[in-house]
Amino acid sequence: MSRSIAPKLVEKIKLEFDDVILDISRFQEQTTVCLKAEHTRQVCEFLKNEKDLDFNLLLDLAGAHYPDRERDFEVIYNYYSLTHKHFLRLKAQIKGDPPRVATISDLWKAADWLEREAYDMYGIIFEGHPNLKRLFLDDSWIGFPLRKDYPLEGRD
Amino acid sequence: MGLIENRFEKNVLVTTVDSVLNWARTSSMWPLTFGLACCAIEMMATGSAHYDLDRFGIIFRATPRQADIIIIAGTVTKKMVPPILKVYNQMPDPKWVVAMGSCATTGGPFKTYSVVQGIDKYLPVDVYVPGCQPRPQTLIASLVHLQDKIKAEHTIAKK
């Protein structure tokens, strides 16, 4: 059902950004590209503007926290191309405190609130975002609940 | 009620007036529609044709100004508490609170950072309805229980 991107197009991405990509994997017809978060913006622009790839639909943007890793935060982008009908997943691995990555909300409007959600739950700062405020929690809330070190019952 | 509330000794006349007041209050309990989550569906089912609430005189009112009871049906998140308090304060006296379902009673299965562990942390609850969700019969039984509670009140006679 999920049509994965053709291997030669994956090669194209790999050639263009060889020094930045950490890993490319394919599992059950789904291709995932892991890269260093500092270069997210260039890779995303390439994915959108390159005619062969043409990823014009951002399906989802999610945050993740892996406290045991050096690059402990991650932003996961799920892309789809309406013209070529193929999918791709991008995982941008972030290190730093607070974790920062460039915004893509000017390229894909959907990213606006999705990045706000990732900020609200993980504290990942999207640089260049027009309105990076909390989305679900109260504006006065302190802390980022979906981080692994935040207790389920909350802190009071 | 202010001037005559709780002023007179319990005598035959005053207790009769009290029972008339209680009869009026129990026979037309008008709840405020406050369905938050799944319990709201059961509340709607209770109000619908099969398990009719209208036969008890219970008509759901959308505005707090015309409501007697507020049925908190569903999970209460911390973000929702200010609106609940605002709406509760807008209800005129006498008013009662029914906490419907596990979430409103004690937070339900959600012992998390965003869920209030029971609306009785913020509102004075009169009747707790257990269940997840409580069946319509349970909700009706709890409203009848609330009626019994109201019938035992003395408004004019001293307590």
Side-chain angles (χ1 to χ4, degrees):
Chain A
M1 203 208 84
S2 294
R3 222 187 83 180
S4 189
I5 185 175
K8 63 174 167 56
L9 292 171
V10 180
E11 274 307 306
K12 196 173 186 183
I13 301 172
K14 188 162 182 208
L15 245 76
E16 184 79 21
F17 295 103
D18 195 32
D19 47 335
V20 159
I21 288 180
L22 295 167
D23 182 41
I24 298 185
S25 62
R26 186 190 164 105
F27 177 72
Q28 297 233 359
E29 302 290 310
Q30 297 185 22
T31 308
T32 305
V33 174
C34 295
L35 66 137
K36 300 178 192 171
E38 296 88 38
H39 307 94
T40 316
R41 182 83 196 177
Q42 296 117 291
V43 176
C44 291
E45 280 173 355
F46 183 74
L47 291 176
K48 186 167 190 209
N49 297 329
E50 187 68 20
K51 282 287 159 256
D52 286 340
L53 300 169
D54 201 18
F55 284 106
N56 39 22
L57 189 59
L58 175 70
L59 293 173
D60 195 15
L61 192 158
H65 185 209
Y66 297 95
D68 300 328
R69 234 168 45 180
E70 194 213 340
R71 289 182 171 267
D72 48 356
F73 285 89
E74 197 170 273
V75 179
I76 304 162
Y77 304 85
N78 281 296
Y79 288 112
Y80 180 65
S81 169
L82 289 162
T83 46
H84 303 299
K85 298 197 177 69
H86 53 212
F87 295 82
L88 182 68
R89 184 176 301 118
L90 209 67
K91 291 190 180 183
Q93 300 184 355
I94 315 171
K95 68 177 168 202
D97 182 26
R100 293 172 186 280
V101 73
T103 187
I104 57 164
S105 53
D106 52 333
L107 299 168
W108 291 274
K109 280 280 168 280
D112 191 342
W113 276 23
L114 293 169
E115 287 179 349
R116 274 180 69 181
E117 180 192 351
Y119 166 67
D120 194 7
M121 293 289 125
Y122 290 95
I124 299 170
I125 299 191
F126 292 87
E127 287 164 333
H129 194 278
N131 185 25
L132 196 64
K133 286 190 331 188
R134 286 190 181 274
L135 193 67
F136 301 125
L137 296 168
D138 215 26
D139 283 329
S140 58
W141 196 280
I142 298 170
F144 301 105
L146 270 130
R147 288 191 180 182
K148 295 291 179 278
D149 50 356
Y150 194 94
L152 178 64
E153 305 81 24
R155 298 189 185 118
D156 252 326
Chain B
M1 284 290 140
L3 284 173
I4 52 176
E5 204 163 5
N6 288 327
R7 268 190 75 184
F8 300 97
E9 296 297 330
K10 279 184 224 180
N11 59 30
V12 174
L13 184 64
V14 175
T15 44
T16 318
V17 175
D18 263 338
S19 53
V20 169
L21 279 172
N22 289 339
W23 165 80
R25 286 171 183 175
T26 56
S27 311
S28 71
M29 297 196 298
W30 288 1
L32 176 66
T33 54
F34 213 83
L36 293 168
C38 354
C39 274
I41 307 293
E42 284 293 334
M43 192 169 68
M44 291 178 220
T46 319
S48 310
H50 196 92
Y51 301 99
D52 192 16
L53 277 179
D54 201 5
R55 57 194 162 122
F56 298 101
I58 294 175
I59 309 172
F60 282 93
R61 305 300 293 167
T63 162
R65 301 291 187 189
Q66 296 168 6
D68 299 313
I69 56 180
I70 180 170
I71 304 181
I72 309 281
T75 320
V76 184
T77 50
K78 289 183 183 161
K79 201 171 182 180
M80 194 61 185
V81 169
I84 289 183
L85 290 176
K86 195 184 252 192
V87 151
Y88 178 75
N89 289 332
Q90 286 177 347
M91 286 168 68
D93 269 339
K95 54 190 172 189
W96 297 273
V97 178
V98 174
M100 179 181 175
S102 311
C103 288
T105 314
T106 57
F110 306 113
K111 193 161 167 56
T112 68
Y113 56 90
S114 55
V115 172
V116 173
Q117 302 297 301
I119 190 65
D120 54 0
K121 296 209 187 308
Y122 294 94
L123 295 180
V125 175
D126 292 291
V127 180
Y128 297 88
V129 192
C132 184
Q133 305 104 358
R135 271 198 64 92
Q137 292 101 320
T138 314
L139 182 60
I140 292 176
S142 72
L143 290 166
V144 170
H145 193 75
L146 181 61
Q147 283 184 336
D148 293 337
K149 193 175 179 185
I150 297 172
K151 280 185 189 140
E153 284 179 5
H154 303 285
T155 313
I156 300 178
K158 278 194 200 152
K159 284 197 173 41

